[in-house]
Amino acid sequence: MSKYAFFVGCTIPYRVPFIETSLRKTLPIFDVELVDLPFACCPDPGGVQAFDSVAWHTLGARNLCLAEEEGLDILTACSGCFESLKIINTHLKNDPDLKSKVNEHLKDVDREFKGTIKINHFAEFLYTEIGIDKIAQKVTNPLSGIKIASHNGCHFLKPTDIMQVDNPELPQKLDHLLEALGAETVPYLNKLACCGAGTRTTDMDAALKIAHEKIVGAELANADALVTVCPTCYVSYDIGQRLMTKHFEKTTLPVFFYAELLGLAIGLDFSAGFKMHTIKVQEVLDKLTA
Amino acid sequence: MKIGTFLCNCGGSIRNIDWDNLKAFIEEKTAENDNFCVYHESLCSEEGKNYLKEVVGREQPDAIVFGGCTPKTAGYLFEQELKGLNISPYQVTGANLREHVGWVSSDKDSATKKAKAVLLGAHNRAGYQAPVEVQKINISQSAVIIGAGPAGLQAAQDLAEKGHEVHIIDRQPYIGGNAVKLGAFFPSEDCAACQTSTGVRGVHQSSVRRCFYRSGFDLHPKINLYIRSEVENVTGRLGGYNVTIKSQPTYVKMDRCVNCDLCSQACPVEKPDEMNLGLSTRKAIYLPNITCSPTKYVVNRDECPEGCTECVKVCPVNAIDLNERETTTTVTAGGIILATGFQEFDPAIVEEYHYGVPGYENVITQSELARLLALTGPYHGKLQKKNGDPVKRLVIINCVGSRSQNYNIWCSNICCMIGIKHAITIKEKNPEIDVYCCYIDIRAVGANYEEFYNKARDLGIKFIRGRPAEVETDGTNLYVQVEDSQADTMLTLKTDMVALSMSMVPSSGVQKIAELLNVNVDVTGYFKGLYSKFRTSETNQAGIFVAGTAIAPADIPTTITKAAHAASHLDLLLTKGSVEKRFPIAEIDNDRCTLCEICVGACPFGAIDVVPVENPGVKMQVNPLSCLGCGQCVSSCPAACIDIDYYREDQILSQVEGLLYDNGETPDPIIITLACWECAYASTDFIGQGCLTDPEFKYPDNVRILPVQCTGNVSARLIQKTFEKGADGIIVLGCFEDKCHYDSGSKASTIRVHLMKQMLEYSGINPDRLEKETVYTESSNRFVETARKMAKRLEELGKLER
Amino acid sequence: MTLTTELKEEFKDLYDKVKLCYQCGTCAGGCPVFKQYSSFNPRRVMEKLLAGDISAEIFDEQQIWYCTGCYTCSTRCPQGIDICHVINDMKNIAVKIKNAPPGIITEMTAILETGITAAKSTSALRKRDKLELPEIPPPDMTEIQKLMEVTGVIAKLNALKEDAK
Ligand SMILES: Cc1cc2nc3c(=O)[nH]c(=O)nc-3n(C[C@H](O)[C@H](O)[C@H](O)COP(=O)(O)OP(=O)(O)OC[C@H]3O[C@@H](n4cnc5c(N)ncnc54)[C@H](O)[C@@H]3O)c2cc1C
Ligand code: SF4
Ligand code: SF4
Ligand code: SF4
Ligand code: SF4
């Protein structure tokens, strides 16, 4: 068992908790133990960073300190948290001025950033630490017969020089992870497009239009489902599709979080969670068992 | 040694100096050895010149001091007038009493005081001057040219027509370089595979131009062509380079092959044809291109199945020999021209356009588009997609990999026009095809280029000002995402094909050649011309030239002009048959040399060779033809065992000593300026001139100047000794670092001065007493400012306590 | 709106970060927002910075708040300009001159009060129960509030709220 500080974030537990279930159930199967720590918001790479960059670094560094003090690397499943924590961790490690500024503030709460841990995103973690082969070995119910449009999202990949997860113009790891489950991935238009969540607080309509592009692309490619590795992207597309009806014709493209499909393929039962999806997923599930 | 001093008042223009006083001073100071001093109102007048010759002829001095105008002008007078008078120009030392004293000094008293020091300095130095030996080097009457593209061909023809033996080498099995593949060319709007006619082939009169294969290039009696060949090694120097050429066999005898194609038909192997982007196939024995020259078949031997001899069996003229071996030839050449050309930047590196990614087969480069449009191309000029469907819309994307901090910073100069050419070709043939061109700026800067651009717009080609962000696919079509920045709108162009105007980068292998020949490349990776304004085709190595797109991306007219420029420079050298080296060069005292080889790296011209000797194994040896005498080795040598006659340390220091002369009269601190003899010294002259009309140019009289060859020559020791002799401040005055006449001298000096300042601090000397400044004539006021500032500072710091 | 000297200095820093921009439009061409909402154009934002437009008009229009922070532009800019980061810096300036959209105030207030951005709504907690998920250990709010105080967040937030009244 390898132990990780589980950075669950804000969106997963209180907006899409079934995603949390999928993570808490699948990861232990790959000998990963998740430890919960009293983390606060990562904080939000959009809002808080935009509000005050130094405050963002400081609040983020506090989270890093909690894990550092436990001697644990962080594992997160939210690309926003991943981005914040990894950028802050990298910046503080490389920029001594910023580090001393932040540590000056942290002194007030008796903490100090040291720079001793690594930040992992679960999808990247599955790909590099667990490995495609090991995942494929565990598959009992291969997801054959469905076509999947994979959505990497922005913060999983960018800013590239810091995230260093995959080629931002031709990401392939997620497709490989899906193919390991026996699914077929399809190329589609707007594969690299953003989910628009960052614009939500400013202009919900604009955000929905951005998200809609992706649904169009995936439908054009006859995809049965869209798969994300970030809860925020998930929300943009799942709940988003219902809100989009205000501007566009109704669409019903099922959206999954990668760990949900992983669980399905290795034989776990997530039916309670699937019922909580806004866009019904039954059709896809039927196709799989057919 | 008998030294004669000639004082001249420049027709009375140096009024500021008390000449009688000065003459009396130098006569008294240098009374020994039959030294003498004469004064003339105007030595460069006819009467003055006669006087000069008469006195020199009568007195027979061993050395001369000339006190008057700047040695930059007086030097030539003496060189002319003293011919045949048994004294070399190197034995004349100038005392710049006009530009450095009379014209810049404020009053007679102080001018005369300074004049004494300047004259004494020159007199001291004259005592050390000896004639410089003239060396003569013979030049071998032949040339080697690397690269047989348009540039190499032009240079080869020019030199061959002049009667020189030419060896031209290309790694391809044909001549013509990139042009062979490119179909049609602007601005002439005719074939690319075309060159100046040599008039060698055929009975017809030589016309203006001919196809590569008809030009008779390979038949020219003075041209030796080595195809499938590369340079393996080079030894020797200007005048006698020994170039070892390694040639891979073509397995077909050029003189026998009649191009019947029977061999190719018999060959069982089929391979993608690289000439046609692999869109068509060829055999293992094949003709690279029907317009190529030599128009002969070649074999890619590694593709042949074991034991196969099908081609040999069918050849009616017995031209094929599958057992041919690699050959090595060594030729001697008086000079070398590098014409290695360019290649397209790897399009896969610009990831957002997805070149080479499965599903994006119709994203191609301009070179590939050229092949598609060529009649000799895979589809015989028909524009179609890889799957055979016709192309209804094409989007051209400009500046791919060029003009970018991420990829190549330079503009590739001609890709805008290449895109426009292809667009026009397509539109003229198939008006129904929709052509878009996405650009940042259109650069149409050659003769008739703007007209060509207008023609494209006339034909209905759509120009979108915006650099596309991404090329996407839905599996069938391509989509180009671009902002039309003139309309502030987002466009998604659905298209069948995308052509990328790739950045043009140096040919692969340039680095190897650069190392082999010790030739500089610049930050772009292209070969670096000796000087960017006009010595563009020379390199840092005497006798090695560069031509065509091996310098920078260019079109054919520019390529040809550059090639002819290189050829004419090399011709000058070869025609002379020998060169005379008349200036002083570095000399190494091999007994004191510790073999550290630092000087080898310090010389920007690669003039110092490490040559084998019996004991102690190697020695450093200066090549007189490559050495320009700048002295960068001198200041680099930790053992202080290199010197340059005429700019030897003892010579310079003797002059410093004179310049510091004050006879207790001047309580002021004295600032010695070591000025490089090129732009820096010229700038100080210019300042003297300037003072006549603009007193703003004046600098204090306690600033005293003497020349060095290059600031790269100013060693730490020299600076230290100048302080020891009594200087209170030192200004090292050079050219701008990137405009140094000796490539890197000024830069090295700036670094050295910086380090010296730190050392001064350690030894308790205020580092403000040492300064480096850079100038050229148009910015000579920089020196005035620095000199004034230093003088002001020294007023506070006072004389240097020793 | 006029900018203080300090903010003008920050503006100058931004100019230095974008001065190589040659207005090629690569940033706009890939921007997910611009595609849907043409009033927000990152190239135009760069243009204003290049022009040294410090009239604060850029902030008044609140256009910069449309940026999703996706870094697509930064990844592709041929001149290596980190547009996304520059826009974030501009947002920091906008907050200082009290020019932030209401959503950001709500979000910052939520963090100040609960340490997280998403509300622990009853429906959410009910779902967690149903899924038999464990309770998440809550963050130490005194720590969070202290940090938000010493980094000046609270002061800025109060100023914004005051302004909104
Ligand atoms: C798509 C495209 C379209 C173009 N269209 C036009 C046009 O319409 N009009 C126009 O004026 N120009 C055009 N050009 C530019 C034109 O091709 C060049 O100006 C010209 O080819 C330059 O000639 P060059 O001899 O300098 O170099 P190259 O043509 O590159 O020739 C260099 C030669 O050197 C050889 N070589 C390189 N390295 C070595 C080595 N180490 N050892 C041995 N041999 C070596 C190569 O094999 C090659 O044969 C176009 C270019 C491109 C890419
Ligand atoms: S010539 Fe035109 S296409 Fe080529 S780099 Fe320059 S501006 Fe770009
Ligand atoms: S730097 Fe001086 S000591 Fe060193 S190898 Fe050259 S000549 Fe010899
Ligand atoms: S991509 Fe870069 S250079 Fe081009 S307009 Fe945007 S910021 Fe300017
Ligand atoms: S970071 Fe902002 S400006 Fe840049 S592409 Fe994304 S949304 Fe547009």
Side-chain angles (χ1 to χ4, degrees):
Chain A
M1 272 290 179
S2 47
K3 255 206 258 192
Y4 289 87
F6 184 39
F7 199 97
V8 70
C10 310
T11 307
I12 293 182
Y14 304 116
R15 298 203 68 180
V16 283
F18 45 91
I19 288 182
E20 187 177 329
T21 309
S22 68
L23 293 159
R24 289 194 192 272
K25 290 255 167 77
T26 51
L27 286 166
I29 292 180
F30 297 97
D31 291 333
V32 177
E33 185 186 337
L34 301 176
V35 180
D36 289 294
L37 294 176
F39 292 122
C41 178
C42 58
D44 175 17
V48 183
Q49 186 180 198
F51 195 90
D52 185 320
S53 178
V54 176
W56 179 66
H57 281 95
T58 309
L59 290 166
R62 177 194 163 271
N63 287 327
L64 299 173
C65 290
L66 298 188
E68 281 184 357
E69 286 157 18
E70 296 297 320
L72 295 175
D73 285 345
I74 285 178
L75 186 69
T76 178
C78 168
S79 301
C81 300
F82 181 50
E83 183 196 11
S84 285
L85 298 173
K86 190 152 179 182
I87 294 183
I88 293 169
N89 202 26
T90 313
H91 281 178
L92 293 180
K93 279 186 189 178
N94 299 335
D95 181 345
D97 286 349
L98 184 65
K99 181 173 159 184
S100 64
K101 210 190 241 175
V102 164
N103 273 336
E104 198 54 42
H105 291 317
L106 288 174
K107 241 192 225 151
D108 287 328
V109 296
D110 290 332
R111 298 195 190 274
E112 188 193 347
F113 170 84
K114 297 206 172 70
T116 52
I117 60 160
K118 194 181 158 222
I119 315 297
N120 301 286
H121 186 286
F122 93 102
E124 155 75 354
F125 176 83
L126 284 175
Y127 188 90
T128 44
E129 304 295 321
I130 307 294
I132 293 294
D133 294 343
K134 247 204 198 132
I135 294 170
Q137 276 164 24
K138 292 254 194 291
V139 171
T140 52
N141 308 349
L143 309 182
S144 47
I146 57 166
K147 286 189 187 156
I148 290 179
S150 68
H151 167 73
N152 285 265
C154 302
H155 302 313
F156 182 49
L157 306 175
K158 293 176 282 202
T160 322
D161 53 336
I162 292 180
M163 307 322 279
Q164 298 190 351
V165 168
D166 205 344
N167 176 347
E169 304 293 355
L170 193 68
Q172 288 181 318
K173 288 185 181 170
L174 178 54
D175 283 10
H176 292 161
L177 281 170
L178 283 160
E179 284 150 14
L181 309 181
E184 181 192 343
T185 56
V186 290
Y188 66 103
L189 266 188
N190 303 322
K191 176 165 173 158
L192 301 178
C194 164
C195 77
T199 305
R200 257 188 245 153
T201 40
T202 311
D203 183 339
M204 188 52 138
D205 290 334
L208 290 171
K209 287 180 188 165
I210 295 169
H212 182 254
E213 285 258 292
K214 170 84 50 173
I215 306 293
V216 171
E219 292 210 322
L220 274 175
N222 286 323
D224 296 302
L226 186 71
V227 171
T228 78
V229 289
C230 166
T232 307
C233 299
Y234 174 89
V235 170
S236 297
Y237 298 128
D238 185 45
I239 303 168
Q241 275 186 77
R242 194 173 62 202
L243 303 176
M244 283 172 206
T245 50
K246 189 173 147 200
H247 304 282
F248 306 101
E249 241 172 71
K250 187 175 165 194
T251 54
T252 55
L253 180 70
V255 186
F256 290 98
F257 190 75
Y258 178 76
E260 293 183 300
L261 292 189
L262 173 62
L264 261 188
I266 60 181
L268 300 177
D269 174 17
F270 286 156
S271 48
F274 286 144
K275 289 201 189 94
M276 293 177 188
H277 283 222
T278 303
I279 304 294
K280 294 300 152 228
V281 299
Q282 197 54 44
E283 224 176 283
V284 179
L285 302 180
D286 290 348
K287 243 190 183 169
L288 282 175
T289 43
Chain B
M1 184 186 267
K2 178 176 178 181
I3 301 173
T5 302
F6 290 79
L7 297 178
C8 170
N9 189 2
C10 265
S13 72
I14 320 179
R15 281 175 223 103
N16 242 350
I17 291 173
D18 179 344
W19 290 96
D20 292 340
N21 187 334
L22 182 65
K23 182 160 182 284
F25 164 81
I26 202 73
E27 278 170 345
E28 185 221 314
K29 272 277 164 197
T30 63
E32 71 281 7
N33 294 349
D34 300 336
N35 291 341
F36 64 92
C37 176
V38 295
Y39 171 86
H40 194 277
E41 186 73 13
S42 181
L43 268 181
C44 61
S45 64
E46 277 315 308
E47 192 259 311
K49 286 183 203 165
N50 288 335
Y51 176 70
L52 170 71
K53 280 188 273 200
E54 189 238 324
V55 176
V56 175
R58 170 162 38 90
E59 297 285 339
Q60 294 283 325
D62 300 309
I64 289 176
V65 173
F66 170 72
C69 65
T70 169
K72 286 252 176 208
T73 49
Y76 302 117
L77 170 78
F78 279 84
E79 208 174 326
Q80 284 304 315
E81 302 306 321
L82 297 185
K83 268 185 195 143
L85 284 176
N86 203 16
I87 187 159
S88 104
Y90 287 97
Q91 287 161 289
V92 181
T93 307
N96 193 340
L97 297 181
R98 193 173 71 173
E99 281 83 350
H100 283 181
V101 185
W103 288 356
V104 288
S105 295
S106 27
D107 62 78
K108 198 160 195 156
D109 205 30
S110 127
T112 308
K113 239 187 280 174
K114 184 174 178 185
K116 287 178 184 169
V118 170
L119 191 58
L120 190 58
H123 204 281
N124 282 354
R125 189 161 180 169
Y128 285 86
Q129 303 299 69
V132 168
E133 218 182 291
V134 176
Q135 303 196 27
K136 190 169 163 184
I137 294 110
N138 290 328
I139 306 283
S140 162
Q141 290 302 294
S142 59
V144 159
I145 297 175
I146 309 176
L153 296 179
Q154 185 68 39
Q157 269 174 230
D158 287 2
L159 289 168
E161 287 294 297
K162 287 271 184 178
H164 308 297
E165 194 76 20
V166 177
H167 303 277
I168 180 165
I169 304 162
D170 203 294
R171 57 186 173 200
Q172 296 296 345
Y174 51 81
I175 61 169
N178 274 296
V180 171
K181 307 177 208 164
L182 298 174
F185 261 16
F186 66 87
S188 56
E189 300 194 60
D190 56 12
C191 306
C194 177
Q195 71 180 119
T196 312
S197 171
T198 58
V200 168
R201 171 167 270 150
V203 293
H204 297 287
Q205 176 187 344
S206 161
S207 60
V208 174
R209 61 182 195 277
R210 280 208 177 139
C211 316
F212 289 150
Y213 77 96
R214 296 193 307 135
S215 72
F217 181 84
D218 49 325
L219 298 182
H220 197 291
K222 286 287 184 186
I223 294 178
N224 306 287
L225 176 62
Y226 302 79
I227 52 171
R228 273 201 175 169
S229 303
E230 288 192 55
V231 171
E232 169 98 337
N233 195 22
V234 181
T235 59
R237 287 286 171 177
L238 161 71
Y241 285 105
N242 300 309
V243 182
T244 308
I245 306 164
K246 196 164 159 189
S247 307
Q248 302 303 327
T250 62
Y251 305 97
V252 177
K253 296 206 171 53
M254 299 271 157
D255 48 349
R256 292 210 191 147
C257 171
V258 291
N259 297 327
C260 64
D261 199 52
L262 290 174
C263 53
S264 203
Q265 289 165 27
C267 175
V269 178
E270 231 171 279
K271 290 280 169 186
D273 185 354
E274 39 288 276
M275 181 68 81
N276 279 338
L277 352 166
L279 291 175
S280 56
T281 55
R282 57 156 177 79
K283 297 299 185 61
I285 183 163
Y286 64 104
L287 187 62
N289 179 305
I290 35 177
T291 63
C292 79
S293 167
T295 329
K296 299 294 169 201
Y297 281 66
V298 297
V299 183
N300 283 11
R301 200 68 180 89
D302 50 349
E303 294 168 2
C304 301
E306 273 281 329
C308 171
T309 54
E310 294 305 317
C311 52
V312 181
K313 285 184 208 150
V314 297
C315 179
V317 290
N318 223 343
I320 306 170
D321 174 4
L322 294 176
N323 296 320
E324 250 184 60
R325 304 232 162 259
E326 170 186 299
T327 55
T328 304
T329 324
T330 299
V331 298
T332 306
I336 298 176
I337 294 181
L338 309 173
T340 46
F342 73 99
Q343 67 189 33
E344 279 186 338
F345 184 59
D346 177 1
I349 294 175
V350 187
E351 289 168 339
E352 58 266 34
Y353 300 146
H354 296 118
Y355 178 94
V357 173
Y360 291 89
E361 287 75 15
N362 294 305
V363 177
I364 61 173
T365 67
Q366 292 292 0
S367 286
E368 293 172 343
L369 180 58
R371 285 315 294 152
L372 293 187
L373 296 176
L375 273 186
T376 54
Y379 308 137
H380 311 292
K382 224 169 83 201
L383 188 60
Q384 62 183 46
K385 301 209 282 185
K386 299 257 160 116
N387 66 2
D389 289 350
V391 170
K392 294 199 215 76
R393 183 183 274 178
L394 167 80
V395 177
I396 290 169
I397 302 181
N398 273 7
C399 297
V400 184
S402 296
R403 302 182 63 195
S404 167
Q405 301 294 311
N406 298 345
Y407 311 112
N408 307 307
I409 49 169
W410 61 91
C411 165
S412 297
N413 293 342
I414 63 165
C415 10
C416 283
M417 298 313 291
I418 295 171
I420 290 174
K421 170 184 72 171
H422 288 159
I424 290 178
T425 310
I426 293 167
K427 262 298 190 206
E428 282 184 336
K429 253 203 242 170
N430 308 89
E432 73 285 356
I433 298 181
D434 217 9
V435 185
Y436 280 84
C437 175
C438 302
Y439 67 97
I440 306 177
D441 303 291
I442 290 289
R443 299 198 163 163
V445 288
N448 291 323
Y449 282 17
E450 188 68 17
E451 291 84 332
F452 208 53
Y453 177 28
N454 283 337
K455 180 172 171 184
R457 282 182 296 193
D458 231 21
L459 284 168
I461 291 144
K462 297 177 190 104
F463 288 86
I464 309 281
R465 195 200 171 279
R467 181 181 176 278
E470 188 185 350
V471 176
E472 279 194 283
T473 183
D474 59 5
T476 321
N477 300 293
L478 295 169
Y479 295 83
V480 178
Q481 305 278 13
V482 59
E483 185 207 3
D484 179 346
S485 66
Q486 280 162 330
D488 276 272
T489 47
M490 178 69 207
L491 298 177
T492 301
L493 302 171
K494 183 173 161 183
T495 183
D496 301 308
M497 185 170 268
V498 171
L500 308 176
S501 300
M502 293 315 303
S503 180
M504 291 160 79
V505 299
S507 287
S508 62
V510 158
Q511 202 54 44
K512 187 183 149 202
I513 294 182
E515 277 163 26
L516 210 55
L517 293 173
N518 234 318
V519 169
N520 289 345
V521 295
D522 68 14
V523 285
T524 61
Y526 281 105
F527 289 118
K528 187 174 173 198
L530 185 57
Y531 171 59
S532 62
K533 197 158 68 221
F534 36 69
R535 299 186 72 168
T536 49
S537 63
E538 289 160 86
T539 67
N540 58 317
Q541 284 292 345
I544 300 183
F545 303 85
V546 56
T549 54
I551 309 168
D555 56 14
I556 289 289
T558 314
T559 296
I560 298 302
T561 312
K562 285 181 177 177
H565 191 236
S568 87
H569 275 280
L570 180 49
D571 171 47
L572 279 179
L573 201 67
L574 299 183
T575 307
K576 269 193 207 156
S578 66
V579 283
E580 277 184 2
K581 197 82 171 194
R582 348 156 114 258
F583 50 84
I585 58 164
E587 283 166 38
I588 297 178
D589 179 349
N590 289 102
D591 293 338
R592 278 163 47 223
C593 171
T594 59
L595 305 179
C596 71
E597 295 187 23
I598 289 174
C599 52
V600 178
C603 175
F605 307 104
I608 304 179
D609 292 323
V610 186
V611 296
V613 287
E614 210 156 276
N615 194 13
V618 291
K619 70 166 189 176
M620 308 303 129
Q621 183 174 301
V622 176
N623 183 284
L625 280 174
S626 300
C627 175
L628 294 186
C630 65
Q632 293 184 60
C633 53
V634 174
S635 50
S636 79
C637 176
C641 67
I642 315 181
D643 236 327
I644 293 180
D645 204 8
Y646 199 65
Y647 283 106
R648 282 196 329 262
E649 194 175 290
D650 55 355
Q651 290 173 311
I652 296 172
L653 285 173
S654 71
Q655 188 165 10
V656 166
E657 220 166 274
L659 286 172
L660 289 169
Y661 173 79
D662 71 351
N663 201 18
E665 294 172 12
T666 25
D668 289 342
I670 294 182
I671 298 166
I672 294 292
T673 298
L674 297 156
C676 115
W677 179 242
E678 306 292 350
C679 293
Y681 196 92
S683 297
T684 63
D685 281 348
F686 181 82
I687 291 164
Q689 294 263 355
C691 285
L692 289 181
T693 50
D694 184 356
E696 276 304 297
F697 272 115
K698 284 204 191 317
Y699 55 87
D701 286 337
N702 56 341
V703 177
R704 292 171 188 178
I705 305 167
L706 83 163
V708 291
Q709 183 69 31
C710 164
T711 49
N713 190 1
V714 178
S715 65
R717 260 166 61 109
L718 182 61
I719 291 175
Q720 186 197 339
K721 291 206 165 162
T722 303
F723 275 126
E724 276 168 17
K725 290 270 177 212
D728 302 297
I730 300 177
I731 298 173
V732 179
L733 187 65
C735 302
F736 276 63
E737 279 111 17
D738 60 338
K739 298 180 218 324
C740 175
H741 293 240
Y742 303 100
D743 192 69
S744 49
S746 186
K747 193 167 175 188
S749 132
T750 301
I751 296 168
R752 188 166 301 119
V753 167
H754 183 74
L755 293 174
M756 265 313 271
K757 276 167 149 297
Q758 293 173 359
M759 305 227 317
L760 289 181
E761 188 130 46
Y762 282 128
S763 48
I765 298 179
N766 190 318
D768 285 348
R769 291 183 185 271
L770 174 65
E771 226 50 86
K772 165 81 192 265
E773 186 52 279
T774 51
V775 284
Y776 50 86
T777 324
E778 276 302 326
S779 68
S780 43
N781 52 325
R782 287 162 63 102
F783 171 63
V784 178
E785 277 153 32
T786 305
R788 284 191 195 152
K789 258 190 233 151
M790 166 93 74
K792 189 134 193 130
R793 227 178 292 138
L794 294 197
E795 254 172 45
E796 289 156 24
L797 294 175
K799 282 198 164 269
L800 181 58
E801 305 270 333
R802 288 179 187 81
Chain C
M1 171 74 63
T2 46
L3 296 174
T4 61
T5 333
E6 181 210 333
L7 291 180
K8 278 187 181 157
E9 270 311 302
E10 289 189 28
F11 221 98
K12 174 85 187 30
D13 289 347
L14 290 184
Y15 172 80
D16 284 340
K17 287 184 188 169
V18 308
K19 62 190 171 195
L20 286 180
C21 167
Y22 47 36
Q23 292 287 298
C24 67
T26 307
C27 48
C31 173
V33 180
F34 178 63
K35 229 190 245 184
Q36 298 304 329
Y37 177 80
S38 61
S39 311
F40 171 70
N41 180 334
R43 178 182 58 81
R44 288 285 185 203
V45 177
M46 297 302 113
E47 188 186 33
K48 285 191 179 158
L49 291 176
L50 283 174
D53 178 357
I54 48 175
S55 64
E57 173 206 345
I58 325 180
F59 304 111
D60 287 346
E61 285 171 12
Q62 296 214 347
Q63 291 298 349
I64 50 168
W65 291 97
Y66 271 82
C67 166
T68 68
C70 70
Y71 285 98
T72 306
C73 49
S74 304
T75 309
R76 293 176 179 158
C77 171
Q79 289 293 68
I81 296 164
D82 192 346
I83 302 132
C84 180
H85 205 108
V86 166
I87 293 181
N88 189 74
D89 287 349
M90 292 173 73
K91 288 177 182 170
N92 278 201
I93 297 178
V95 167
K96 288 185 192 162
I97 59 170
K98 295 179 282 198
N99 231 322
I104 207 89
I105 303 174
T106 321
E107 180 178 330
M108 296 308 290
T109 310
I111 297 180
L112 186 62
E113 286 164 2
T114 66
I116 60 173
T117 56
K120 293 187 193 178
S121 65
T122 33
S123 79
L125 293 174
R126 210 179 311 121
K127 278 188 196 163
R128 290 189 70 80
D129 269 352
K130 207 166 182 181
L131 293 163
E132 295 169 1
L133 282 165
E135 204 190 314
I136 312 274
D140 179 339
M141 284 315 296
T142 43
E143 265 188 40
I144 304 294
Q145 282 162 0
K146 180 79 199 172
L147 290 178
M148 290 179 90
E149 182 202 318
V150 296
T151 51
V153 171
I154 295 182
K156 281 185 201 164
L157 198 53
N158 287 340
L160 276 170
K161 284 180 181 163
E162 193 57 36
D163 204 54
K165 273 184 198 155

